[in-house]
């Protein structure tokens, strides 16, 4: 394998708090090892267009505490086609970039895996998504911050819920994954947690409403947006029809879950994974994702992480039921 001298870093797909900490770690670790580092702006779109800038140590100063991504992110349809990826490759060659570090989710890694094979160029993935739905890592960047954001918001909702004796259905992000709903639900002491990974949850919810809801000062039901029963609005409507005597409200937390200053855990995880990604490249690795398992850095083949599904923690689901 040829020696790696210049590397590119990009953020792609959904943004997540802590991405900046990862960019900073990539840049500074790269420079520490004598590499030149380039920021590829707006994900694969910027790669295709050659929107590529050099990043020096001072360019990543003062960003570790900022949410979002300083090099921006995008969704790029053209990258789905070979012609688009060929244009992207030509731009990498124009800038003499030998390898790319992609901070993103499942979709971004699928694109990286395909392009890596087609053009024999090393791609290293760093998991960045608030959904935590990537196989091969316990944590993705942004998941912990988003959990804290949900907890802070739901604590406030709890105050008004208990003052009025209401039941709140709170919808959190997670179209296909219930990690955020489950972890934040446990932390908020939610009376119900509905996640896409679990079936027949409505029966349990009905039982709770019939037997216990009226006796509680307030109830918080956390619903992942992708829940098979149809999100918080749909479920709240059905429960209201069946239990018209209950005072029910619905809140959709929406995009506040993606923003904000990253938690200390996200900053540290992002710093570790960013640095490990550069070191993996120097170690001749290609087409892998950096993960954290039992608090240790691991390397997972990119095609494995995109093919395999990660299940929610069944022990946490059971715990939620016990603690209600
Ligand atoms: P995430 O990485 O957060 O899952 P997306 O699924 O939107 O976000 O993917 C981000 C980008 O990755 C897409 O806009 C596209 O450019 C690229 N991508 C996703 N899937 C593929 C694919 N099957 N082939 C090539 N590129 C892909």
């Amino acid at each position: 394998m040829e020696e790696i001298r210049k590397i590119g870093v990009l953020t792609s797909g959904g943004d997540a708090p802590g991405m900046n900490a990862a960019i900073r770690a990539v840049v500074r670790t790269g420079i520490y090892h004598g590499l030149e580092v380039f920021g590829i702006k707006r994900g694969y779109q910027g790669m295709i267009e050659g929107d590529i800038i050099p990043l020096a140590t001072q360019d990543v100063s003062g960003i570790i505490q900022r949410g979002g991504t300083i090099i921006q992110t995008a969704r790029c349809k053209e990258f789905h086609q070979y012609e688009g990826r060929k244009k992207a490759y030509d731009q990498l060659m124009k800038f003499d970039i030998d390898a790319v570090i992609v901070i993103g989710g499942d979709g971004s890694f699928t694109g990286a895996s395909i392009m890596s094979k087609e053009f024999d160029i090393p791609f290293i993935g760093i998991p960045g998504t608030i959904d935590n739905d990537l196989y091969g890592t316990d944590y993705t960047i942004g998941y912990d911050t988003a959990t804290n954001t949900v907890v802070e918001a739901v604590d406030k909702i709890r105050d008004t819920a208990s003052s009025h004796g209401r039941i709140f259905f709170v919808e959190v992000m997670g179209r296909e994954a219930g990690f955020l709903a489950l972890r934040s639900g446990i932390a908020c002491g939610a009376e119900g947690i509905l996640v896409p990974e679990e079936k027949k949850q409505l029966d349990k919810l009905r039982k709770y409403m019939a037997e216990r809801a009226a006796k509680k000062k307030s109830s918080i039901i956390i619903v992942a947006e992708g829940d098979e029963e149809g999100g918080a609005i749909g479920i709240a409507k059905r429960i209201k029809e069946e239990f018209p005597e209950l005072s029910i409200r619905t809140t959709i937390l929406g995009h506040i879950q993606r923003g904000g200053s990253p938690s200390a855990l996200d900053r540290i995880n992002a710093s570790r994974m960013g640095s490990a990604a550069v070191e993996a490249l120097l170690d001749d690795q290609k087409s892998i994702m950096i993960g954290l398992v039992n608090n240790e850095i691991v390397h997972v083949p990119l095609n494995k992480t995109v093919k395999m599904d990660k299940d929610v923690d069944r022990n946490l689901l059971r715990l939620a039921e016990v603690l209600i």
Side-chain angles (χ1 to χ4, degrees):
M1 189 181 281
E2 285 185 22
E3 197 192 345
I4 291 190
R5 302 213 320 272
K6 295 187 185 181
I7 63 171
V9 59
L10 62 86
T11 46
S12 169
D15 62 311
M19 282 182 160
N20 282 328
I23 295 166
R24 172 180 176 273
V26 167
V27 170
R28 295 206 169 157
T29 308
I31 291 168
Y32 177 86
H33 288 289
L35 306 178
E36 275 182 64
V37 187
F38 290 84
I40 302 167
K41 297 184 78 179
R42 293 176 293 119
Y44 295 124
Q45 193 63 44
M47 197 189 269
I48 288 173
E49 293 171 14
D51 192 1
I52 297 172
I53 53 164
L55 288 175
T57 298
Q58 64 273 20
D59 294 321
V60 292
S61 292
I63 67 167
I64 195 167
Q65 76 280 19
R66 283 171 55 190
T69 156
I70 59 158
I71 48 176
Q72 296 188 286
T73 181
R75 295 202 158 88
C76 173
K77 272 203 183 129
E78 217 182 331
F79 200 77
H80 283 261
Q81 310 302 325
Y82 174 82
E83 292 72 27
R85 295 190 295 271
K86 174 75 172 74
K87 278 191 209 165
Y89 177 72
D90 290 343
Q91 290 294 348
L92 292 183
M93 292 303 99
K94 202 169 125 194
F95 283 83
D96 283 331
I97 291 174
D98 306 305
V100 180
I101 293 173
V102 176
I103 307 166
D106 202 50
S108 305
F109 293 169
T110 306
S113 180
I114 295 170
M115 183 164 169
S116 177
K117 267 192 220 119
E118 282 172 344
F119 299 99
D120 193 27
I121 183 158
F123 271 81
I124 306 288
I126 298 176
T129 160
I130 63 164
D131 295 334
N132 200 37
D133 58 347
L134 281 166
Y135 175 87
T137 188
D138 293 342
Y139 280 98
T140 59
I141 295 168
Y143 172 49
D144 185 62
T145 307
T147 305
N148 286 310
T149 302
V150 173
V151 170
E152 203 184 319
V154 173
D155 284 350
K156 289 175 181 163
I157 291 170
R158 176 75 84 177
D159 289 344
T160 177
S162 59
S163 300
H164 289 273
R166 279 184 180 144
I167 296 164
F168 266 83
F169 285 79
V170 182
E171 184 172 300
V172 306
M173 282 185 166
R175 267 196 288 272
E176 282 148 38
F179 294 92
L180 184 56
L182 181 55
R183 190 161 176 255
S184 57
I186 300 259
C188 302
E191 277 71 19
I193 304 171
L194 279 71
V195 296
E197 291 86 348
E198 191 73 334
K199 308 281 171 223
K200 297 200 174 131
Q201 302 166 101
L202 220 49
D203 294 343
K204 282 184 206 151
L205 193 60
R206 281 194 189 98
K207 196 165 182 286
Y208 171 80
M209 294 297 163
E211 293 172 6
R212 300 188 48 204
K215 292 181 206 138
K216 299 272 278 191
K217 276 201 199 107
S218 65
S219 299
I220 300 284
I221 313 297
I222 303 278
V223 184
E225 64 181 333
D227 183 80
E228 60 162 7
E229 312 288 355
I233 292 177
I235 295 170
K237 193 163 167 269
R238 284 166 73 174
I239 294 294
K240 181 72 186 166
E241 280 163 10
E242 291 171 40
F243 302 91
E245 71 284 5
L246 297 177
S247 175
I248 291 176
R249 295 288 184 276
T250 309
T251 301
I252 295 176
L253 293 184
H255 281 81
I256 62 161
Q257 295 164 90
R258 282 194 189 282
S261 183
S263 67
L265 182 63
D266 269 328
R267 296 181 200 194
I268 291 163
N269 287 349
S271 300
R272 290 178 71 190
M273 291 199 262
S275 204
V278 175
E279 282 169 1
L281 279 176
L282 294 170
D283 211 15
D284 291 343
Q285 298 285 338
K286 56 197 296 189
S287 284
I288 57 153
M289 179 192 82
I290 302 296
L292 271 172
V293 173
N294 296 330
N295 207 23
E296 296 286 342
I297 292 286
V298 294
H299 293 175
V300 188
L302 267 186
N303 57 4
K304 193 167 181 189
T305 189
V306 297
K307 265 190 226 140
M308 307 282 284
D309 285 331
K310 180 162 89 175
D311 196 13
V312 284
D313 186 338
R314 297 279 152 186
N315 291 326
L316 273 191
L317 267 180
R318 223 185 43 236
L319 178 66
E321 283 186 25
V322 172
L323 297 184
I324 283 170

